[in-house]
Amino acid sequence: MRRTNGFQKPYNPMQIGTWILLPILLFQFLFFASPILPLAASVPCTIALFACGWCTAYYAYKCCGTDPIDERLRRHLNQVEGVDANGGNGNDTIDTAVDHQSRQHPTNGGGVDEGPIKFCWVCGIDVHELSMHCKFCDKCVSKFDHHCHWLNTCVGKANYDYFFKTVGSTLALVVVHGGVLAGVVVTFFVQFMQERTGSGPGGAILDRANDWFGADIGLVVAGVNVFFLIVDGVCASLIGQLFLFHIRLRHEGITTYSYIVRDGQRKCEAQRIKMDLERRRITAVETAKSEGKTIRKWRLMAAGCPHVGEVVCSPCDPLRLEDKKSKQKPMQQHGDVELGSDQNNKQEESTMENESSQEERNVPVTLGECATPSPCGYDEPDHISSQKQSGVDGNDAATLQNKTSGDEIVNPANDNTTVPSAPQAAMNQKRDQQHSESDVSAKSVEFLTISSQNGKDKAT
């Protein structure tokens, strides 16, 4: 039977226990603690306690009344109910139309949470990836956290905030109730001992407890308060742990189910490592025994003792020490690699800067470009400096330009020689290389011809 809220039958015994315990705490305070308190303390304490009780009841009601079902499953059930209401018989219509729509990622404004999905084999449709099927409620719960037996409902995305507030308000209720009872009980017994030993008169709380509703049963009233103080202490410790646990879950952004799965994986991994360590220990003990290393054998055996050895002898365990060293070496190597890579990068950058500066220094300069000293401090080409030394100024630039032949520049120091420009020099170098290659190939052909001729002569 699929449950839609926490008020549906069958009721859980723990749920019924909460329905009984909350009113009992309120009435106990109202009849056994508030009457024996001073009026200045009784009124605010009673108001604070009943405010916490009202918040607890309200948030618990909202949590139980909110259905945390997966939105895709909700739409699927609504369509099924609509088909049945229209007189449909069938599962065929549902399977072809509804299931086809439920498998589509986009929605048509129906409020379905888009995102990763998975298939639930129990419900028979695709649901959200974080949804889980609850066997108690027989439905997939959106962002499933856990099934609360105290509220007899599942806790999921829709009602998790109500559940968290319920736990917080219940903790506040128990703390206020227990704190007031602790003050009442301590004061009562202090005044009771003073009156009993005659060291001083009793007090107002002792007198009001003895005159409780005119019954003169102060010790009975104190005994009831002591009993509920113990109940408050137990409840506060349990609920406090639960509240702190969910604060941690909210901080990490995970659910109770995810935490349980992660904790189980960690335990399995720790157990696997422990078993592997024990197998290594057995082999190491046998090796130390065969090699005559008595001290190492004792250290291995002491560290392998259950419980005591794992805690006391763990720092001197040879296997654990070896594992630490093996883990530290890759970290040191990684650090050295990073340091070396940084140094190589710096060296490469400095080399590139030097090469670029050298290239800038070797840029070919035409006549007239260096008529004034270079602002960057570059050295002038030889032909420019010789031009200045020979007394050639800027006015003779045209004459020198007229003496050029093609891409060649006439040397002002000697008109019979020319200085090739950078492109002409490259072309000349390429032409010389082609000539040398052709000469080499010609010589190779000549050598092969002579060799073949000699071979024929020898054969003759």
Side-chain angles (χ1 to χ4, degrees):
M1 176 182 178
R2 182 176 288 108
R3 298 171 56 85
T4 58
N5 56 70
F7 300 109
Q8 287 182 326
K9 295 180 180 179
Y11 300 121
N12 192 289
M14 299 173 69
Q15 179 187 20
I16 298 174
T18 58
W19 293 352
I20 297 174
L21 181 61
L22 180 62
I24 287 178
L25 292 177
L26 297 176
F27 282 109
Q28 189 275 334
F29 185 88
L30 187 62
F31 288 103
F32 287 88
S34 182
I36 63 178
L37 284 172
L39 184 63
S42 177
V43 175
C45 289
T46 304
I47 293 175
L49 183 72
F50 274 82
C52 293
W54 182 85
C55 291
T56 301
Y58 173 76
Y59 290 129
Y61 174 79
K62 294 292 290 184
C63 183
C64 293
T66 303
D67 188 8
I69 189 173
D70 183 85
E71 290 298 328
R72 294 177 181 273
L73 179 60
R74 186 195 302 276
R75 187 181 64 173
H76 172 76
L77 295 176
N78 291 337
Q79 291 178 348
V80 170
E81 292 176 357
V83 171
D84 292 340
N86 292 329
N89 54 358
N91 295 329
D92 295 337
T93 305
I94 296 172
D95 291 338
T96 56
V98 176
D99 188 66
H100 176 72
Q101 292 182 359
S102 66
R103 288 180 178 273
Q104 302 299 320
H105 289 276
T107 60
N108 299 322
V112 180
D113 187 14
E114 297 183 4
I117 60 174
K118 64 181 181 181
F119 185 77
C120 177
W121 296 99
V122 181
C123 298
I125 64 167
D126 289 325
V127 295
H128 193 269
E129 186 179 23
L130 297 179
S131 298
M132 296 297 297
H133 190 89
C134 177
K135 64 179 181 179
F136 300 102
C137 298
D138 192 22
K139 63 183 178 183
C140 284
V141 178
S142 177
K143 199 176 180 180
F144 177 79
D145 190 87
H146 70 286
H147 182 87
C148 181
H149 292 284
W150 297 99
L151 299 176
N152 197 23
T153 186
C154 277
V155 178
K157 180 180 179 180
N159 60 348
Y160 179 79
D161 289 337
Y162 291 130
F163 169 78
F164 185 76
K165 294 176 182 178
T166 302
V167 176
S169 58
T170 305
L171 179 62
L173 170 66
V174 173
V175 169
V176 171
H177 189 271
V180 174
L181 289 185
V184 169
V185 169
V186 170
T187 305
F188 173 84
F189 280 105
V190 169
Q191 296 177 0
F192 178 78
M193 293 302 296
Q194 290 178 354
E195 184 180 25
R196 186 71 178 269
T197 57
S199 59
I205 290 182
L206 178 63
D207 295 338
R208 282 191 288 269
N210 291 328
D211 296 337
W212 183 77
F213 294 109
D216 194 17
I217 50 174
L219 289 176
V220 175
V221 174
V224 173
N225 289 333
V226 168
F227 173 78
F228 278 92
L229 178 61
I230 296 173
V231 173
D232 288 337
V234 175
C235 293
S237 62
L238 297 177
I239 300 174
Q241 292 179 14
L242 179 63
F243 188 67
L244 294 176
F245 174 71
H246 279 277
I247 289 177
R248 176 185 175 185
L249 294 181
R250 290 169 70 93
H251 177 71
E252 296 182 5
I254 60 176
T255 62
T256 303
Y257 179 79
S258 301
Y259 176 84
I260 293 173
V261 172
R262 186 183 68 181
D263 187 63
Q265 292 176 350
R266 288 178 178 177
K267 289 181 178 179
C268 292
E269 182 65 18
Q271 187 66 23
R272 185 191 64 79
I273 295 174
K274 183 178 179 181
M275 293 176 63
D276 182 66
L277 184 64
E278 292 301 324
R279 287 194 294 266
R280 290 171 54 200
R281 190 180 305 281
I282 294 173
T283 305
V285 169
E286 295 296 332
T287 304
K289 186 184 298 185
S290 62
E291 294 177 355
K293 299 179 179 179
T294 308
I295 297 178
R296 178 179 174 84
K297 182 184 72 172
W298 289 348
R299 290 171 59 188
L300 290 168
M301 294 175 66
C305 294
H307 307 294
V308 178
E310 295 176 356
V311 178
V312 178
C313 302
S314 176
C316 60
D317 185 10
L319 296 180
R320 288 189 172 90
L321 294 176
E322 292 174 0
D323 292 341
K324 288 182 180 179
K325 291 181 180 179
S326 62
K327 290 180 181 179
Q328 290 176 357
K329 285 183 178 179
M331 294 178 64
Q332 293 178 355
Q333 293 177 357
H334 182 67
D336 295 339
V337 169
E338 289 183 350
L339 181 60
S341 62
D342 294 339
Q343 293 178 354
N344 293 333
N345 292 334
K346 291 181 180 179
Q347 292 178 358
E348 290 178 358
E349 291 177 358
S350 61
T351 305
M352 292 176 64
E353 290 178 357
N354 294 333
E355 291 178 355
S356 61
S357 61
Q358 187 67 23
E359 290 176 357
E360 291 177 355
R361 290 176 183 270
N362 296 331
V363 172
V365 182
T366 59
L367 293 177
E369 288 184 354
C370 294
T372 59
S374 175
C376 298
Y378 294 153
D379 296 334
E380 294 179 343
D382 295 337
H383 61 277
I384 300 298
S385 60
S386 62
Q387 173 188 350
K388 290 184 177 180
Q389 292 176 1
S390 60
V392 180
D393 56 2
N395 296 327
D396 298 330
T399 305
L400 295 175
Q401 293 291 339
N402 293 330
K403 294 182 179 181
T404 58
S405 176
D407 291 331
E408 296 180 349
I409 300 175
V410 179
N411 192 342
N414 187 5
D415 293 343
N416 295 326
T417 60
T418 58
V419 179
S421 62
Q424 184 65 29
M427 294 176 62
N428 294 338
Q429 184 179 2
K430 185 175 181 180
R431 184 171 59 253
D432 295 339
Q433 185 177 1
Q434 292 176 355
H435 287 318
S436 62
E437 290 178 356
S438 60
D439 293 340
V440 171
S441 59
K443 291 180 180 180
S444 300
V445 172
E446 183 180 358
F447 175 76
L448 294 174
T449 304
I450 294 172
S451 299
S452 60
Q453 186 66 32
N454 293 332
K456 291 179 180 180
D457 295 339
K458 288 181 181 180
T460 304

